[in-house]
Amino acid sequence: MSPTNKPMHVAGPFSFYRGEQRFLSRERVELLRKIAETGSITQAAKAVNMSYKTAWDTINALNNLAEEPLVVSAPGGRHGGGSRLTDYAQRQLELYTAVEAEYQRFLHKLGEHIDDLDGFFHFMRGLLMQTSARNQFSGKIAAIKAGPINAEVTVDLGGGDLITALITAESANNLGLREGADVYALVKATSIIVIPGTETVRLSARNQLRGTIILCKQGPVNSEIVIQLPGGKTVTAVITHESAGNLGLKEGEPATAVFKATSIILGVGL
């Protein structure tokens, strides 16, 4: 089945999906509505506080996912070009509006039985996220330092543990990252270096998480090392048997998990 023919489903807060790809969300729907109002992607992007490039990328992604184009752009001329929604797009917006109304009624009924609805959805998003990365951290963005090309994002994991991710400025913008927002940080176990002890070491790697080894598991080729952090979270590293032996890693001993800022993948709830 091709991506454009995958069935749609609904996920909270509220989005349409095609397979694993997000199709329509509130932000995207608002962009489409503004294009219908103004006849211009440029004006629509300004109205929803979105960059022109992000708006174009969003439209291209929507057109690629849909069975039919949603937005048709006319070439420029004496009176300038323009953009309009197709009849197919209008039907998708009507469907989205109808389903969203039912969804809000559902949330209202659910809220009568669950006091912390936001906490419930945060918990469910964590359960539903499936990735190959062994280390999946849930935290809040403590700071963002944006540059022309890259952005440094500091994530508070709780318990005094902070990590810094280096991603492109475009990715930070597309994810809608902001201070105080919830975020997921993913790090592969093979990207983590383990150093015995918890003393600060001068390294080029930005992230050093100190804790106690709670598991040293021998495999056919590699060893799996699990370090528990003071805040209760754990970090898993996969290193060679030789490295584990040379470092003298043992359960109950202090250790530091080290990884580069570029080794972190950030994600947000859908």
Side-chain angles (χ1 to χ4, degrees), residues 50-58 60 144-153 166-177:
M50 182 183 292
S51 72
Y52 178 76
K53 185 181 185 303
T54 299
W56 260 112
D57 290 344
T58 299
N60 288 335
I144 300 178
K145 185 178 180 181
I149 298 176
N150 295 321
E152 289 186 0
V153 183
L166 183 65
I167 63 175
T168 64
E170 183 177 0
S171 294
N173 182 59
N174 289 340
L175 290 171
L177 302 184

Side-chain angles (χ1 to χ4, degrees), residues 52-155:
Y52 178 76
K53 185 181 185 303
T54 299
W56 260 112
D57 290 344
T58 299
I59 296 305
N60 288 335
L62 287 171
N63 283 342
N64 287 341
L65 286 171
E67 286 92 348
E68 300 176 25
L70 277 71
V71 178
V72 177
S73 298
R78 185 175 61 178
H79 301 293
S83 300
R84 64 174 180 84
L85 299 191
T86 62
D87 292 339
Y88 175 80
Q90 295 288 1
R91 292 196 299 273
Q92 296 302 308
L93 290 183
E94 291 172 1
L95 175 62
Y96 182 94
T97 301
V99 176
E100 183 181 40
E102 291 299 321
Y103 178 78
Q104 294 302 328
R105 280 192 281 271
F106 163 75
L107 290 185
H108 179 73
K109 295 297 292 184
L110 186 62
E112 294 177 356
H113 302 285
I114 300 178
D115 294 331
D116 185 8
L117 202 57
D118 288 338
F120 170 76
F121 276 118
H122 179 76
F123 172 71
M124 290 303 297
R125 284 196 297 268
L127 291 181
L128 293 172
M129 184 175 63
Q130 297 181 1
T131 75
S132 61
R134 293 291 301 276
N135 298 292
Q136 302 179 19
F137 302 110
S138 174
K140 287 187 179 294
I141 298 177
I144 300 178
K145 185 178 180 181
I149 298 176
N150 295 321
E152 289 186 0
V153 183
T154 301
V155 181

Side-chain angles (χ1 to χ4, degrees), residues 230-270:
K233 289 183 170 61
T234 59
V235 184
T236 300
V238 173
I239 62 177
T240 64
H241 287 322
E242 183 178 4
S243 295
N246 291 339
L247 293 171
L249 301 179
K250 298 179 181 179
E251 294 179 8
E253 295 293 322
T256 301
V258 178
F259 49 98
K260 294 181 178 180
T262 53
S263 296
I264 301 176
I265 298 174
L266 296 182
V268 296
L270 301 171

